[in-house]
Amino acid sequence: MRIRKNAREGGRLPVFLLFSMLFLTVFSVLSPDDDVATALYKEGIKKYILEDYESAVRDFESAYRIKPDDPKIRGMYINTLIKQGNIEYQQENLKAAREYYKKALSLSGEDPDLRDKLAVIQRNIDEEETLREQESRIVVRDKVPEEGVSEKPDAREPEIVRRAEEVELPFDLDGYIRQQDESNKRLLAEVQEQQRLERERLLQSIEENQRIINENMEAQQQERKSFMHNIEANSRILSSSFEEQRRERETLMGNVRENQQFLRESIERQGEEREYFLKNMVDIIQSQSDDRKMFNRSLMILVIGGIVIAIIIVLGFIMLLRRRISQVGSVYHEPQPSIGFSSGPMLEYDDTKYLTNEHYTDMVRVRRLKELEQEIRKGDSSWETVQGYISELNHEVKSEILSIVENKIKSGDTAGIDNAMEILLPFITDGDKDIGVKSKRLVRRIAGGAGGGQTGFETGEDEDPSDPLGTASLLNMAAMADTKTGRIDHSKRVAEVASLIAETMGDDTLDPSVVRRVGLAHDIGYLEIADTIMKTEGELTERQFAIIKTHPERGLKLLQHVELPKIFYEGIRYHHERLDGSGYPEGLTDREIPKIAKVLAVADFFDAVTSARPHRPALTVESAFQMMEKLAGKIFDKKLFEALVSIYKQEIDQGE
């Protein structure tokens, strides 16, 4: 039975070793070093938990050889060495304990506890070896024969041998050997069969692993194809982005070229205007010089003629006196009044006041002052005329112009507050504080004499007629702007509708009277746009329309010297913004647009579609509401539109 057991164990051991070697080989090929070290570490942990420290030491040692820098593996390896060393020490296997402690000490460095324990074990081993040497000496001394005593062989040995030879075996030895041989053959066949089955299972495992590897490689191939597809898609997106950037760059360069062309044309026009101006100045100076010479000549002729006429008159008087004396025969006469030229008023011409070589710009001011004076005296002066000249005039010339206007007001030579406002408005909004004060004083004087004018709008009793933001000033500016755009009374209608919407909404931040004034001022920026653009027939070019869209900023620039309230600023600047961001000048959206701008947008749109234009007739109120209902909530506020509809229905109910 013992032989059969040994044979079975001897057959199983090679199979186990072969399987283990193949498994480790495949595992090492399929897995990287980190996975092998991790597997060994986990196996060592299991054995450590089962207190099989000796096997755990081998697993941790293998893992440590693969990953010597892993502190986790190194710590468990040292701990397991100490555990196994303690077991060997308790079993009095001092040499084995010493080896385990030495390895732990070499791995942990100079650990004082391990060093002390290793020294104790070394002393115990030395003491044990000393005791063994002493015992061996005692045994040898006991076996040495005493002197004179010879050893004799045991006489009983031959007898024992003979008796052993005479004893017969109780069974057939050859048969037993044959049986054992057959048993070993059967056991070998079983072992070979087991090896074959193990080999087949191993091959199946290898095939399964190969299949998994193939599946992983196919999945990686699919991922690689997907990755390449994503790269191609990103490349197409980048190409389209580059193409779009190129088109934008070309568009930008085209705009830059157009702006450069426009600047060149502007510079050329300015050069032509400068040459024309200089030519006119030369002509003016030359004509003034000729006038001066002609005046001197005329004065000399008048003086000489006067002298000659005086001499002739004196001679005639003498001759007449002599004739009377000779006829009457007596000398009698009464004193006669002397006949001569009385010094009447003459044109005073002081050409040194402005025309000097040191003050070239004063000559320009003199010429413009004369033109302004002629227009003011004729009653042809307008806001545009004064606005065009005011930037070239200094404080002194502005004061002289205001003096002329004041003299005309005193003499009653004024058409009314409208004409006066057209002349004085640029001075009211001018940055010169003193000029502004004088202009406001003249406006108040005219307003007091004219009774405020007929405007169709109610003004407050305490309202200053010279205030640039007052109703009177804003009505004049609005009338001039509407005249320029060809939309008569457009600003007045927008102001009235906007104030009604504000009153209906009941918002504390929207005072109807203030909203009305902001409505009057919302389009005054058109006054700053050239007549050549405003009077263009047909469709505007993109550049002309871009200039038209600057009228909100131009309106604010016109009032830059006035302390402008926030509601005026927001209404003038943002009344063309739309909820969907399609408006201008900033493209604001719903929550970014101020309330006053939303109110003006609804009122402006309503008046635009219900007013006739050269290219289309006016819509009825019902048609306008149908159009606005589709746009409500998209380009302008829906609640404000509903307020406008309610106002119209209320007016219908009241019969207005």
Side-chain angles (χ1 to χ4, degrees):
M1 293 299 291
R2 182 176 298 176
I3 294 173
R4 183 176 298 174
K5 182 178 180 181
N6 292 335
R8 187 179 293 111
E9 291 177 356
R12 290 179 179 176
L13 183 60
V15 174
F16 176 76
L17 291 176
L18 178 61
F19 180 80
S20 300
M21 292 175 64
L22 288 174
F23 179 79
L24 290 175
T25 302
V26 173
F27 189 81
S28 62
V29 171
L30 298 178
S31 302
D33 291 342
D34 292 345
D35 295 340
V36 174
T38 303
L40 290 171
Y41 174 76
K42 292 180 178 180
E43 188 66 25
I45 291 293
K46 292 178 182 178
K47 293 177 181 179
Y48 183 86
I49 294 171
L50 297 174
E51 296 184 356
D52 186 5
Y53 299 118
E54 187 174 1
S55 299
V57 166
R58 289 194 295 271
D59 292 336
F60 287 135
E61 183 177 5
S62 300
Y64 179 73
R65 288 177 181 175
I66 295 173
K67 295 180 69 177
D69 297 332
D70 193 334
K72 180 173 61 177
I73 296 176
R74 180 169 169 271
M76 287 303 300
Y77 184 29
I78 294 171
N79 192 18
T80 309
L81 287 171
I82 295 172
K83 287 281 187 180
Q84 186 61 29
N86 292 337
I87 292 172
E88 297 293 341
Y89 182 76
Q90 291 173 359
Q91 294 177 357
E92 296 183 356
N93 296 329
L94 300 180
K95 291 184 178 181
R98 181 176 61 182
E99 294 301 324
Y100 285 116
Y101 286 142
K102 280 185 178 180
K103 288 183 181 179
L105 184 62
S106 63
L107 292 173
S108 63
E110 297 297 329
D111 190 342
D113 295 335
L114 285 176
R115 188 169 55 251
D116 296 340
K117 187 172 290 188
L118 188 60
V120 172
I121 292 172
Q122 186 64 39
R123 284 196 300 272
N124 293 337
I125 292 172
D126 294 339
E127 291 176 359
E128 185 178 357
E129 289 178 352
T130 303
L131 291 174
R132 287 180 180 175
E133 288 178 0
Q134 291 177 358
E135 289 176 356
S136 63
R137 291 194 191 100
I138 294 171
V139 172
V140 171
R141 191 165 49 248
D142 292 339
K143 289 183 179 181
V144 174
E146 295 180 359
E147 294 181 0
V149 180
S150 60
E151 293 184 354
K152 294 181 180 181
D154 192 353
R156 296 177 296 176
E157 290 182 359
E159 185 178 359
I160 295 170
V161 172
R162 282 195 304 271
R163 291 179 180 177
E165 290 176 354
E166 293 176 356
V167 176
E168 294 182 2
L169 295 174
F171 58 89
D172 186 3
L173 181 61
D174 294 332
Y176 177 76
I177 292 173
R178 284 194 300 273
Q179 291 177 359
Q180 293 294 326
D181 189 18
E182 291 175 0
S183 177
N184 291 334
K185 287 180 180 179
R186 287 194 302 272
L187 183 61
L188 181 59
E190 293 176 0
V191 170
Q192 290 176 353
E193 180 65 20
Q194 291 179 357
Q195 290 178 352
R196 185 184 64 79
L197 294 175
E198 292 289 342
R199 187 164 51 254
E200 289 178 357
R201 285 195 295 272
L202 180 62
L203 290 175
Q204 291 178 358
S205 177
I206 292 173
E207 290 176 357
E208 180 67 20
N209 292 332
Q210 185 64 33
R211 184 182 62 79
I212 294 173
I213 291 172
N214 292 334
E215 291 178 356
N216 292 333
M217 292 179 64
E218 185 176 356
Q220 291 177 357
Q221 185 69 18
Q222 293 294 332
E223 291 178 356
R224 189 179 298 108
K225 289 181 180 178
S226 177
F227 180 70
M228 293 301 295
H229 178 71
N230 292 334
I231 290 176
E232 292 176 358
N234 292 331
S235 300
R236 288 194 297 271
I237 293 173
L238 288 175
S239 299
S240 62
S241 299
F242 290 153
E243 181 65 21
E244 185 177 355
Q245 290 178 358
R246 184 184 63 78
R247 289 195 296 269
E248 291 178 355
R249 187 164 53 252
E250 290 178 355
T251 304
L252 180 62
M253 293 302 297
N255 294 334
V256 171
R257 286 192 293 271
E258 291 180 1
N259 293 332
Q260 290 177 348
Q261 181 65 24
F262 177 72
L263 289 174
R264 283 195 294 270
E265 293 176 357
S266 299
I267 292 172
E268 291 176 359
R269 287 196 299 271
Q270 290 178 358
E272 293 175 357
E273 292 176 357
R274 190 182 299 108
E275 291 178 358
Y276 177 75
F277 176 74
L278 293 175
K279 183 178 179 180
N280 289 338
M281 291 305 302
V282 171
D283 294 340
I284 290 171
I285 295 172
Q286 183 64 36
S287 62
Q288 290 177 349
S289 177
D290 294 340
D291 292 342
R292 191 182 303 108
K293 292 179 181 179
M294 182 64 68
F295 175 77
N296 292 333
R297 290 175 183 174
S298 299
L299 183 61
M300 182 66 68
I301 291 172
L302 288 174
V303 171
I304 295 173
I307 294 173
V308 171
I309 291 173
I311 293 172
I312 292 173
I313 291 174
V314 171
L315 292 177
F317 178 75
I318 295 172
M319 292 175 63
L320 180 60
L321 181 61
R322 286 181 178 178
R323 185 179 298 113
R324 286 181 179 180
I325 293 173
S326 61
Q327 291 177 358
V328 175
S330 63
V331 179
Y332 175 80
H333 64 277
E334 296 179 355
Q336 300 292 329
S338 62
I339 301 175
F341 292 99
S342 62
S343 59
M346 297 182 63
L347 177 64
E348 295 182 359
Y349 185 79
D350 187 2
D351 59 336
T352 61
K353 185 175 183 180
Y354 298 110
L355 300 178
T356 60
N357 294 330
E358 291 82 2
H359 300 86
Y360 176 76
T361 56
D362 287 343
M363 292 189 296
V364 179
R365 296 191 180 97
V366 169
R367 181 190 173 196
R368 296 198 172 192
L369 178 61
K370 289 182 178 180
E371 292 177 355
L372 281 176
E373 182 181 2
Q374 293 174 1
E375 291 187 3
I376 292 172
R377 293 186 183 280
K378 293 178 182 180
D380 296 335
S381 179
S382 64
W383 182 89
E384 293 181 355
T385 304
V386 181
Q387 179 70 13
Y389 290 131
I390 192 170
S391 61
E392 298 293 335
L393 303 178
N394 59 13
H395 181 82
E396 181 182 356
V397 177
K398 292 177 185 178
S399 299
E400 292 184 10
I401 292 174
L402 292 180
S403 298
I404 295 172
V405 174
E406 186 175 9
N407 291 332
K408 288 176 67 63
I409 293 171
K410 290 179 179 180
S411 63
D413 186 13
T414 304
I417 186 170
D418 294 336
N419 185 37
M421 282 298 302
E422 290 188 5
I423 298 173
L424 297 175
L425 181 61
F427 296 98
I428 294 174
T429 59
D430 187 62
D432 193 328
K433 184 177 180 180
D434 184 50
I435 295 298
V437 172
K438 292 181 179 179
S439 303
K440 292 179 181 180
R441 176 172 52 81
L442 292 176
V443 170
R444 282 194 293 268
R445 180 181 297 179
I446 296 175
Q454 300 298 324
T455 64
F457 275 69
E458 295 182 0
T459 59
E461 296 180 357
D462 298 333
E463 184 175 310
D464 187 356
S466 64
D467 184 6
L469 300 181
T471 303
S473 301
L474 293 175
L475 278 170
N476 280 278
M477 287 191 286
M480 287 184 284
D482 293 342
T483 301
K484 196 168 187 177
T485 59
R487 301 177 298 178
I488 305 302
D489 291 338
H490 164 73
S491 298
K492 292 170 64 176
R493 292 192 298 271
V494 171
E496 186 63 29
V497 173
S499 65
L500 291 175
I501 293 174
E503 184 177 358
T504 303
M505 294 300 293
D507 193 332
D508 294 338
T509 60
L510 297 175
D511 185 356
S513 61
V514 178
V515 172
R516 180 183 291 108
R517 288 191 290 141
V518 177
L520 290 173
H522 79 284
D523 273 345
I524 62 173
Y526 283 112
L527 294 171
E528 290 289 323
I529 296 178
D531 290 338
T532 56
I533 296 177
M534 298 302 301
K535 295 179 181 179
T536 301
E537 297 182 357
E539 188 175 357
L540 297 175
T541 64
E542 292 184 2
R543 189 176 68 84
Q544 289 174 335
F545 186 63
I547 295 174
I548 289 292
K549 290 197 295 184
T550 61
H551 76 273
E553 290 91 340
R554 293 174 182 265
L556 295 175
K557 182 180 178 182
L558 181 62
L559 299 173
Q560 62 182 339
H561 298 299
V562 179
E563 186 176 352
L564 202 62
K566 183 179 180 181
I567 189 170
F568 273 85
Y569 178 87
E570 293 176 345
I572 295 173
R573 182 172 178 82
Y574 299 121
H575 68 275
H576 278 291
E577 297 288 354
R578 299 294 181 254
L579 299 186
D580 58 358
S582 61
Y584 61 88
E586 298 182 11
L588 303 181
T589 55
D590 186 2
R591 296 185 178 180
E592 298 173 335
I593 303 174
K595 293 180 182 179
I596 181 63
K598 293 180 180 179
V599 173
L600 292 177
V602 173
D604 193 16
F605 188 89
F606 176 73
D607 184 73
V609 297
T610 55
S611 300
R613 293 288 185 270
H615 59 279
R616 62 164 177 81
L619 296 179
T620 62
V621 176
E622 290 78 8
S623 300
F625 283 166
Q626 291 177 0
M627 177 189 294
M628 295 178 69
E629 186 176 6
K630 298 177 182 179
L631 301 176
K634 297 179 180 179
I635 66 172
F636 47 77
D637 193 276
K638 187 174 183 179
K639 292 182 179 179
L640 298 177
F641 166 69
E642 293 173 352
L644 177 62
V645 174
S646 66
I647 293 169
Y648 176 71
K649 291 180 179 179
Q650 185 178 1
E651 290 181 352
I652 291 178
D653 295 338
Q654 295 176 356
E656 296 182 3

